[in-house]
Amino acid sequence: MDKSQIYARLTDIFHDVFDDDSITVTPELSAKDVDGWDSLTHIRLILTVEKAFKVKFSTSEIGKLKNVGDLVNLIEAQAA
Amino acid sequence: MNPLYSELHWLPRAPQDFSARLKALASTPAPLGSELQALALHALDVNQLTRLAKAMGRARAEGKSLDPLSPFRLAILSNSTVDMIVPALEGSAARHGIALETIQPPYDQVAQEALIPNSMVNSSKPDAVLFAFDYRSLPLKLTLGDEEAAAAVVDGAIGYLQALRNGIKTGCNAVCIFQTFAAPAEPLFGSLDRALPGTLRSLIDRINLRLAEFVLASGDVLLDVAGIAETVGLAAWHNPQLWNMAKFSFSDELIPLYADHVARTVAALRGKSRKVLVLDLDNTVWGGVIGDDGLDGIQIAQGDARGEAHLAVQRLALDLRQRGIVIAVSSKNTDEVAREPFEKHPEMLLKLHHIAVFQANWNDKATNIKAIAEELNLGLDSLVFLDDNPVERGLVRQLLPQVAVPELPEEPAFYARTLAAAGYFEAPAFASEDLKRAGFYQDNAKRLNLQKQVGGVDAYLASLDMTITFQPFDATGRARIVQLINKSNQYNLTTRRYTDPEVVEAENDPSVFTLQVRLADIFGDNGMISVVICRPGEPQTWEIDTWLMSCRVLGRKVEHMILRELLEHARAAGIRKLVGTYKPTDRNKLVVDHYAKLGFTKILEEASGLTRWELLTDAEGPEAAPMKVVSLFAPAVEGSLV
């Protein structure tokens, strides 16, 4: 799976999780840019991503995430 | 993780246009309840449930009606993070016909919220409080091998829960829903944990047992979370990473399952559990097609793997019938061909006398299922339809969306499990009447036949040799009274739902006149069939707050006899006027003329269809019907009825 496929899939996930179809998913996108991206929605997002890409993140990996770019790197590392 | 449970396999997959339909709700004219329920009737994941709950929230904020969903206010007390669960609860409740409003106090404020009378929970007057605790909320300390100390720990935990309950009962008198506790997956000794007093496993086992006994005795409601966790497996239930990160007390993947269980419990409290199981025959009740394979060709024998799968369906149906669920048949077959296995096949567990309505013909199934509902005098939303054929399932779902139609897997061995997992017949309590109910409906079919033979209604009624018994509410009848109040939809003038504590209140209030009515006849005892509550209105006036009747006894002039009894007690209490209200719902058109037929005068008619009626108590009332009357009222005590 290449980066563009991951971003396409993530876009659907973001729309679903945040109930907002206008979100454009970019590497720089982070919690401060999205309405309703609080710590709880963050967990729902991570859990949805884990399920969709069939990956599992460690607690420290989740703790270090700064933006979508970090998340995509994590997915890429695990999803062969 | 078994997907039957984690992905709610009895529900159809979410449709492709789920998002579009959610968005369309914004411009859909109210009421939105039916479309919300239609959307909820899919196997939705947490994100989809959350979006559905948001759409409901937006509709509410705009003042749009969510009818015909029944409103229910649920407060949630928890020691864990429930923020992700709450929207899932609201979405799942819509699936079960409930417009759920949740009251969610701040995190970990359990004791304060329960015990302080004007706390957020108590002052919000919820219909019910869910004690969504897991074992980590309890003061559990290991007391290995020390029987006495273990007993003290169990007492302490139960005492804590009872204290919280008492706080809620005093503070707002809501129904209390207690959860059993899922034991952690990590053993200490190993197998010995189960046996040795004072291990976590042993303590939790005992607490669950005590809690179950306590709930059964107190009239509270149990949500068997330990049972759900056992079913999916403790290792799947608990997710230590999520507990550490966010204090989720169980795996996010099981939120839809948990939420559906809470929703069915709440729906059951509102009388929305299903009452009838309609069975397809070919490849559902037996393997093969009776019309093609013949009596010797169908698979139903013990020892035959395929046959045993279908026997399991029959056994489940019989067990359900034993607890009061009515069994009916809808099959595309020639009638006598379809009946043959029931009459002649030695391995069949189901016999014809178990089946209340047997519809085997070549009409489409929707038509047949409608006929079954009509014959049983029950709404379509009382029915569950089990059919192996996806085409038939789709047709019935499309034409009769009120009927519950579980998806079934390819493998018949899992039919029974799938039906049971769907929880259509959830019951918060069990009344002894339930044991007889399936029989009642069947007797009723016999009575209808007799009616046809006898011809004249009065002659028919006289031939039934009926005895009607009147009594005020009492502890013995209470479970059934609460059940009738919360279940009766059709013969129900005001559809007011009351909880167990509210019924006790009416029972104990000397200014309130309560009536429970039983009817017996030549075919047997019908049990309690009617409930009336009159409250003081204007001076010398009784307001008929509740008048409902089981449809089993329609057309028996029971309502006439009830009015005669009412008038007698009203006069004895110095009451001059009875005032009744008909409040229309989408289910009670049956009684739109109830008061007119009984000789009341209309005094008000609102645009909503609500009508008000009065009758002076010096009126003679309706003519007596041919039945024996037994009135078990204690002699009027000073100040009670006078």
Side-chain angles (χ1 to χ4, degrees):
Chain A
M1 191 177 285
D2 64 27
K3 269 204 162 67
S4 68
Q5 285 171 308
I6 295 177
Y7 274 99
R9 192 79 187 276
L10 273 183
T11 302
D12 287 343
I13 290 173
F14 270 72
H15 292 177
D16 202 20
V17 169
F18 294 98
D19 195 21
D20 179 357
D21 289 358
S22 68
I23 300 173
T24 312
V25 179
T26 62
E28 295 75 34
L29 191 72
S30 69
K32 64 176 172 12
D33 306 317
V34 178
D35 213 20
W37 191 340
D38 53 22
S39 59
L40 213 87
T41 318
H42 183 65
I43 288 179
R44 189 150 59 87
L45 172 69
I46 298 298
L47 293 169
T48 308
V49 167
E50 285 186 331
K51 203 168 170 196
F53 291 94
K54 298 194 169 54
V55 294
K56 286 283 176 195
F57 305 135
S58 74
T59 307
S60 55
E61 280 171 338
I62 296 169
K64 280 186 215 142
L65 289 176
K66 294 280 176 288
N67 55 32
V68 170
D70 290 351
L71 181 61
V72 171
N73 290 337
L74 271 187
I75 296 169
E76 218 177 11
Q78 282 195 39
Chain B
M1 188 92 43
N2 184 329
L4 165 59
Y5 299 98
S6 61
E7 294 172 18
L8 317 181
H9 272 187
W10 56 91
L11 293 167
R13 307 292 92 193
Q16 286 297 318
D17 60 351
F18 179 77
S19 294
R21 280 173 70 180
L22 262 189
K23 258 183 232 134
L25 280 171
S27 49
T28 307
L32 300 180
S34 299
E35 174 65 0
L36 285 167
Q37 187 168 11
L39 285 168
L41 276 166
H42 294 98
L44 305 181
D45 64 23
V46 172
N47 290 321
Q48 290 163 327
L49 286 168
T50 304
R51 297 181 72 178
L52 188 67
K54 278 189 184 164
M56 287 170 77
R58 282 193 293 268
R60 261 202 200 105
E62 288 164 18
K64 283 186 176 173
S65 162
L66 300 184
D67 287 349
L69 302 182
S70 311
F72 194 98
R73 290 157 54 75
L74 181 72
I76 297 154
L77 286 179
S78 184
N79 64 308
S80 56
T81 305
V82 292
D83 302 68
M84 202 155 127
I85 294 172
V86 165
L89 289 182
E90 293 173 359
S92 305
R95 179 180 298 145
H96 295 269
I98 300 285
L100 189 71
E101 239 184 284
T102 49
I103 298 135
Q104 190 193 341
Y107 175 73
D108 222 359
Q109 294 285 304
V110 167
Q112 296 88 325
E113 285 295 329
L115 299 177
I116 300 173
N118 62 353
S119 68
M120 178 178 167
V121 165
N122 278 325
S123 56
S124 67
K125 299 274 169 227
D127 293 302
V129 175
L130 175 65
F131 291 86
F133 299 168
D134 90 328
Y135 72 96
R136 284 162 284 218
S137 71
L138 295 176
L140 296 184
K141 106 175 173 281
L142 298 186
T143 55
L144 301 177
D146 186 340
E147 176 62 53
E148 212 171 297
V153 170
V154 172
D155 285 345
I158 294 293
Y160 170 64
L161 296 175
Q162 283 173 334
L164 296 179
R165 173 190 187 271
N166 292 342
I168 293 296
K169 285 292 165 192
T170 316
C172 61
N173 201 21
V175 170
C176 292
I177 305 174
F178 286 103
Q179 297 187 168
T180 51
F181 298 88
E186 300 80 11
L188 182 60
F189 292 89
S191 294
L192 187 61
D193 284 1
R194 184 79 76 178
L196 191 71
T199 63
L200 210 44
R201 165 76 68 164
S202 159
L203 290 171
I204 290 172
D205 279 351
R206 292 185 191 194
I207 288 167
N208 284 338
L209 207 59
R210 284 274 300 278
L211 180 62
E213 289 166 2
F214 165 66
V215 164
L216 214 52
S218 66
D220 294 313
V221 175
L222 196 69
L223 180 65
D224 188 16
V225 167
I228 301 170
E230 278 166 18
T231 305
V232 298
L234 291 175
W237 178 259
H238 291 293
N239 182 331
Q241 188 186 13
L242 278 178
W243 172 260
N244 295 343
M245 270 196 326
K247 297 290 167 284
F248 282 21
S249 63
F250 59 92
S251 165
D252 63 296
E253 292 186 61
L254 292 165
I255 289 176
L257 177 70
Y258 169 83
D260 195 72
H261 274 267
V262 175
R264 18 178 124 144
T265 305
V266 166
L269 284 171
R270 278 284 183 263
K272 288 178 182 286
S273 297
R274 307 274 166 170
K275 302 183 178 84
V276 185
L277 176 61
V278 182
L279 294 166
D280 164 57
L281 295 180
D282 289 333
N283 285 318
T284 300
V285 160
W286 53 70
V289 177
I290 182 68
D292 298 338
D293 302 329
L295 197 57
D296 305 331
I298 60 169
Q299 293 155 296
I300 196 61
Q302 280 294 352
D304 169 73
R306 178 79 197 278
E308 287 193 28
H310 296 283
L311 278 178
V313 173
Q314 296 199 20
R315 196 166 300 115
L316 178 57
L318 271 180
D319 289 348
L320 285 168
R321 185 178 182 278
Q322 198 181 339
R323 51 156 282 201
I325 303 302
V326 179
I327 308 297
V329 158
S330 168
S331 169
K332 279 190 177 164
N333 260 314
T334 307
D335 188 71
E336 55 267 32
V337 174
R339 285 175 192 265
E340 207 185 351
F342 290 89
E343 288 164 340
K344 295 186 187 153
H345 203 295
E347 304 265 359
M348 286 281 291
L349 296 173
L350 277 172
K351 308 287 180 198
L352 280 179
H353 71 262
H354 297 129
I355 314 288
V357 184
F358 196 100
Q359 288 274 349
N361 53 45
W362 298 99
N363 297 335
D364 72 87
K365 295 230 171 175
T367 306
N368 275 331
I369 288 169
K370 250 168 113 175
I372 289 170
E374 275 161 28
E375 191 146 340
L376 293 171
N377 242 319
L378 288 167
L380 285 166
D381 56 4
S382 298
L383 270 52
V384 174
F385 174 53
L386 191 74
D387 195 319
D388 68 293
N389 183 337
V391 177
E392 302 287 10
R393 296 199 296 261
L395 175 95
V396 173
R397 247 184 234 129
Q398 166 126 36
L399 295 180
L400 309 173
Q402 308 94 318
V403 177
V405 186
E407 283 295 274
L408 288 177
E410 280 295 311
E411 170 55 52
F414 294 104
Y415 285 0
R417 178 182 285 184
T418 305
L419 174 63
Y424 296 119
F425 307 107
E426 188 80 33
F430 183 70
S432 56
E433 256 92 355
D434 290 337
L435 277 174
K436 306 179 198 154
R437 193 183 315 115
F440 289 150
Y441 280 98
Q442 248 159 274
D443 288 346
N444 214 21
K446 275 192 226 157
R447 286 185 192 102
L448 285 171
N449 292 339
L450 184 62
Q451 189 164 8
K452 282 173 200 154
Q453 290 162 17
V454 176
V457 171
D458 281 332
Y460 161 67
L461 290 180
S463 75
L464 287 177
D465 200 10
M466 294 182 281
T467 301
I468 192 165
T469 306
F470 298 104
Q471 253 178 295
F473 287 8
D474 62 6
T476 319
R478 200 180 298 142
R480 175 64 175 159
I481 289 167
V482 172
Q483 192 180 49
L484 278 172
I485 285 176
N486 287 292
K487 272 191 170 176
S488 306
N489 290 312
Q490 299 183 86
Y491 206 111
N492 195 335
L493 273 299
T494 52
T495 321
R496 291 200 174 100
R497 309 301 195 192
Y498 292 122
T499 57
D500 192 286
E502 289 169 325
V503 168
V504 177
E505 216 169 273
E507 197 181 300
N508 294 333
D509 186 343
S511 72
V512 176
F513 175 76
T514 62
L515 190 61
Q516 50 172 319
V517 187
R518 290 183 164 75
L519 188 74
D521 64 31
I522 192 172
F523 293 103
D525 192 349
N526 288 280
M528 194 189 301
I529 43 83
S530 183
V531 168
V532 180
I533 301 173
C534 296
R535 299 184 189 274
E538 293 162 21
Q540 296 185 300
T541 302
W542 272 356
E543 183 79 39
I544 305 173
D545 172 279
T546 295
W547 186 335
L548 59 85
M549 193 171 87
S550 161
C551 288
R552 287 203 305 268
V553 296
L554 269 183
R556 309 271 286 266
K557 301 200 174 171
V558 166
E559 61 275 33
H560 298 211
M561 300 305 284
I562 291 174
L563 179 56
R564 289 172 63 89
E565 181 78 4
L566 257 185
L567 285 170
E568 211 173 303
H569 286 281
R571 284 191 290 260
I575 295 297
R576 293 207 48 246
K577 201 179 2 173
L578 297 180
V579 175
T581 301
Y582 165 71
K583 188 165 169 282
T585 69
D586 57 347
R587 302 284 300 278
N588 71 350
K589 207 158 261 139
L590 179 67
V591 288
V592 64
D593 291 321
H594 170 84
Y595 284 118
K597 283 180 188 161
L598 289 174
F600 281 64
T601 311
K602 197 192 288 179
I603 51 174
L604 179 79
E605 175 153 13
E606 290 181 0
S608 66
L610 182 143
T611 49
R612 305 249 308 147
W613 306 77
E614 67 172 28
L615 181 70
L616 297 176
T617 56
D618 52 21
E620 214 173 282
E623 210 184 313
M627 60 182 89
K628 192 178 152 210
V629 177
V630 179
S631 189
L632 299 176
F633 276 78
V637 183
E638 204 179 43
S640 67
L641 288 176
V642 185

